[in-house]
Amino acid sequence: MHHPHTTDHQSPHPAERDCRPRRAAEARDATYGFLAGLCPTPSAHTSQNLVLVVSELVTNALRHAGEVTSLQLRADRRSLQIVVNDPSPARPQDRTPDLTGRTGGFGWPMVQRLAEKVTVRPRPGGGKTIRAVLAR
């Protein structure tokens, strides 16, 4: 299921990992493994942000779309990219956060704050792709 390809910063090929997590914890584990293979390793702050964004995007896909059809992690010299595919065409919505903690509303705004760029595109045949890019 996991196909890590790691590289040092001299290689022209990006590092990558593809998987299909069934739980957010699996996505976080895949992200930690991906980060461990990067050279140079991103800062602790950047690594924490990557794990947070992956966890939120996967959690949202599981909660609102029912599954993650794929999670792709990529790194090049300048950026870390997260691509989450799910079967729902519905775009993420900003909503008022629930301060009681029952219904959430914090994840999507956090993703948008932590990432340099976030795009949501429909997939041919249905569903959507969310791509988030973080500075390395």
Side-chain angles (χ1 to χ4, degrees):
M1 177 155 88
H2 300 288
H3 302 288
H5 301 282
T6 56
T7 181
D8 65 29
H9 70 283
Q10 303 298 326
S11 173
H13 303 292
E16 58 187 56
R17 175 167 280 190
D18 297 348
C19 62
R20 187 175 179 181
R22 297 188 199 297
R23 298 177 309 138
E26 291 175 15
R28 287 189 295 272
D29 289 346
T31 304
Y32 288 124
F34 172 74
L35 285 164
L38 295 180
C39 182
T41 304
S43 71
H45 179 76
T46 298
S47 296
Q48 289 169 345
N49 286 347
L50 181 70
V51 172
L52 275 171
V53 171
V54 167
S55 187
E56 285 301 325
L57 290 176
V58 167
T59 297
N60 287 348
L62 293 169
R63 180 175 293 147
H64 301 291
E67 70 176 317
V68 173
T69 53
S70 71
L71 166 64
Q72 301 163 347
L73 302 171
R74 305 274 184 276
D76 58 31
R77 291 182 179 147
R78 294 186 201 107
S79 67
L80 301 167
Q81 304 101 41
I82 305 152
V83 178
V84 175
N85 294 298
D86 71 50
S88 172
R91 297 177 62 87
Q93 299 295 313
D94 285 324
R95 55 192 174 100
T96 303
D98 177 4
L99 299 178
T100 67
R102 287 185 291 239
T103 61
F106 294 94
W108 183 240
M110 183 178 65
V111 166
Q112 293 174 305
R113 275 193 311 275
L114 294 177
E116 285 189 329
K117 182 177 181 181
V118 180
T119 58
V120 181
R121 294 208 165 85
R123 291 180 51 102
K128 69 181 165 296
T129 297
I130 299 178
R131 179 182 304 271
V133 179
L134 282 71
R136 184 159 174 178

